């Protein structure tokens, strides 16, 4: 089965890139399932229910997220009500929503998607490694295809999780840094890995934000009002080919520009 | 002129990869100048004068480094005595060694190399942006080719520096995360950019370290004795083609495995 | 001369405590000069020009601040226009306002007040140690009485600065943690020191904030809307007796409750 | 019952202060139980079994610790074998030793001691709040006297834990910053609280370390070999008077100098 995982969608420019380019990827690679990280989809930070609905309409089947998911309060009941959008599973007990979901695809195969957040240079959440153990153990053994979005800053934490889950999941795809990495590979146990899927949005900013604002912040350390950049829209992500056994057969990085 | 920039060399496996593969890159791309980040070249942390000499012998012309450069005390007088090896320029006044050097290549062109360290999730050094201003201003205007190694954790800080220096330097190449990124590009002012050049060393570890040790550390948060991994050696870096005007014409990422 | 330094004033409860208690301290200890850290004086984060004016009216002569000073944008021109309110001196060149001021007291003595911010677990500003060197060097040698507000998180950074300035300043008083420390002392060179002056505001919260909100944040790591606590108002600070030579003669910690 | 809690004992100067002063506090305040934080007792970082034995001999009944406890490897089996020395209870499952112990005192009363570590600016351990819930729930209901050492950096995390446990524990005493705070109080539910008990060792250093070394580190950000300071020895801690009901009746801070 072919899965397309889309890197962090950044504000309305990111949604525009999805609207203009997703169908091309789906057609070309005969995609069965589309997953996207949406933690920045509304105004560059967080996602509202309206924007989530808009993205579902565009053809995204499952949404993952990360540290910015809580920005807009309205998302909390939406997370509770909708199991097609995830927040990291390792938020403490009692957080709204869920971090794991199972979807049955048109071709009749079940796919589990697990969302985790790293702790190095980030929030002190529950252990992502042990949360992964627990969540994977909760799945029926008939589910073979398992994709993990590891939303984290440190390369070491993402890589360590991949090796930790090799043989137990189909893929670990990293998000959060907004820069696509060039280290796609399949580990010995069949787990497909990419440290970061990249960012879907304006390439002329700094990780999607207006570059003058970000440069000014680095020069002054005064708080700035963030502004999403707007030019040079691109879609980034990775196409995974996963066998019915759950083994990853191929990863192909995607970088497309909207003309 | 063609420059090959090698990503963080990791311990003796990393040196072995350089010994076995560097000449192939030099031959194939007709490289005029070889630069390498050596902050992990001795035992995975730091570099000793002996190892630095060994690496010069292998054909590296200029060495850059980063936060781990101070690990072995013997390197301090060596940094003072040898202007072919750099530490980040934004360490406070009085630090041993230098962060900027100029080399005249065989073809008669002068190349300046500047090393900086980021501050996000790292040491509170002097401002890398203002240090870059000051160091670039210190160069004679006849020097057009200027390469910057921005050793930093956060993608935003690396990208912001690149945009800040566009039009004033030939390239900003990032190091430190040990994972090569796939975002090579030339900014409008002619600056070549890559968020991270990657790591030269064992690919079967976690950022070059033994993966069992790193996984154990993430699971327990007990201190571990780090150990360099040893299998699946690779050379990573980027080849830059820079015009005599200082404008970057092309960047080509390199990933080679030692058979 | 007798100086009263007031620890971080927290929102309207803090201002109420100042209004009700400051005159008692001034009378009892025959205070010549009142200094207060106001970084939290408006709504618990930042300070507006209106609130600053209100506090001047209450008898505060000089205001210092810290990392939260930039919260309300209106304060920026006010900092530029008014040299009786400081922001940390080690913000990069170009920041609004100033970090050092000199006031002539009613008794005819000149007092310099310097505001600094730490970097450990805080913003990567310019070096507070070197900034102190530079700022102190800018003062005329006739000024002997120099008080420093070191706004910092880590005890080590505050203590190190005190030892560094011993013999060159009259006192280093710490702020930012909102908990008064019990380590007042006079260093061998005559510098009076206290790691933290404490907080002026509601004692029944957590560092002045509503405790249910803060506990909920620690339990869930979801973002919370902060709310200033409201009960059990107190004034905290330290009275310093400083000789005309600049040597500190005595420090007396103050903790008063508003009945 | 009267408990004396001793703040972080720093290297051999700290042990010397205990040897010379502990008996005076025990006699004067008729202490029934002595608890001490020993995470820095050997050379300023960590504690060896030999030093722990030495401290038991000096009259310490229960030892607590913190982030530095793992420094000397030999302590691991010792923690497993000896339930009178604790490491924070919120290290992940599988860590050597224990974080909770119960001791029956000479007067026949049982006292539980719980050790926790904060996560703000520290290691991403398990949640200290939920760990406290779980550990307290594991105690027989006949145990009324419960003392908690909250080893943490941030004042907010220590204060929040105290309010969280008010009515469920007899006292929360903070450690780790090495500076005694002046905020001793009894919360409405009867919990005695002090943000930090202070440091037992040389007062002429910076948090117990040689001040020249620490100042040099802040000026250069080069790694330094830490050295314990040696002059002006002092014993710091807090005496608690706790009723048989578990309610704290009084807290008295202790600061004694060794002549
Ligand atoms: Fe993101
Ligand atoms: Fe994120
Ligand atoms: Fe490195
Ligand atoms: Fe590094
Ligand atoms: Fe404050
Ligand atoms: Fe502050
Ligand atoms: Fe300690
Ligand atoms: Fe500690």
């Amino acid at each position: 089965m072919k899965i397309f995982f889309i890197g962090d969608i950044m504000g309305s420019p990111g949604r525009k890139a999805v609207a203009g380019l997703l169908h091309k990827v789906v057609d070309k690679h005969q995609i069965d399932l589309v997953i996207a990280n949406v933690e920045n989809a509304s105004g560059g930070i967080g996602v509202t229910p309206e924007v989530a609905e808009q993205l579902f309409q565009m053809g995204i089947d499952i949404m993952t997220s990360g540290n910015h998911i809580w920005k807009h309060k309205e998302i909390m009941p939406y997370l509770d009500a909708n199991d097609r959008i995830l927040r990291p599973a390792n938020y403490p007990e009692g957080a709204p929503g869920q971090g794991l979901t199972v979807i049955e695809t048109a071709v009749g195969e079940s796919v589990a998607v697990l969302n985790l957040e790293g702790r190095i240079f980030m929030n002190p959440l529950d252990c992502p490694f042990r949360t992964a153990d627990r969540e994977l153990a909760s799945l029926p053994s008939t589910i073979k295809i398992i994709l993990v979005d590891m939303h984290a800053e440190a390369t070491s934490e993402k890589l360590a999780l991949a090796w930790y889950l090799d043989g137990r999941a189909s893929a670990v795809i990293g998000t959060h840094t907004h820069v696509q990495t060039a280290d796609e590979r399949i580990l010995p146990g069949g787990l497909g890995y990419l440290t970061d899927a990249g960012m879907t949005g304006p390439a002329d900013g700094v990780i999607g934000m207006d570059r003058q604002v970000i440069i000014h912040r680095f020069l002054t350390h005064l708080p700035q009002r963030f502004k999403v950049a707007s030019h040079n829209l691109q879609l980034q992500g990775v196409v995974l080919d996963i066998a019915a056994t759950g083994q990853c057969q191929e990863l192909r990085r995607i970088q497309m520009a909207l003309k």
Side-chain angles (χ1 to χ4, degrees), chain A residues 27-181:
Chain A
D27 289 354
K28 179 170 176 196
H29 297 279
Q30 295 184 275
I31 297 299
D32 302 299
L33 185 72
V34 178
I35 306 171
N37 188 302
V38 300
E39 72 146 6
N40 308 105
S42 294
I45 303 184
V47 61
T48 61
E50 292 68 36
V51 163
E53 290 295 328
Q54 208 185 100
L55 290 167
F56 280 127
Q57 298 280 333
M58 289 182 198
I60 294 170
D61 299 300
I62 300 282
M63 298 184 190
T64 58
S65 62
N67 53 312
H68 286 313
I69 185 63
W70 313 107
K71 174 72 176 178
H72 306 283
K73 281 236 156 73
E74 323 86 85
I75 202 65
M76 296 203 185
Y78 188 79
L79 289 172
D80 275 333
N82 190 327
D83 71 352
R84 291 289 174 262
I85 179 166
L86 304 178
R87 46 78 181 166
N90 53 329
Y91 273 85
E93 213 189 304
Q98 58 284 309
L100 174 70
T101 195
V102 176
I103 187 169
E104 195 168 330
T105 61
V107 287
E109 273 176 313
S110 288
V111 175
V113 181
L114 173 62
N115 195 182
L116 295 168
E117 185 174 319
R119 303 195 291 184
I120 307 305
F121 311 131
M122 299 188 78
N123 292 318
L125 305 180
D126 293 346
C127 174
F129 293 74
R130 291 168 196 257
T131 299
D133 289 341
R134 190 191 66 216
E135 297 287 340
L136 295 186
S138 79
L139 290 173
S141 64
T142 51
I143 296 181
K144 303 295 184 197
I145 303 180
I146 302 166
L147 191 135
V148 180
D149 174 356
M150 175 60 166
H151 191 80
E153 175 72 29
T155 49
S156 61
E157 199 173 14
K158 288 160 148 174
L159 264 160
L161 185 86
W163 282 107
Y164 186 65
L165 296 184
D166 185 28
R168 296 194 280 157
S170 306
V172 169
I173 305 299
T175 56
H176 177 71
T177 72
H178 291 206
V179 172
Q180 191 176 86
T181 57

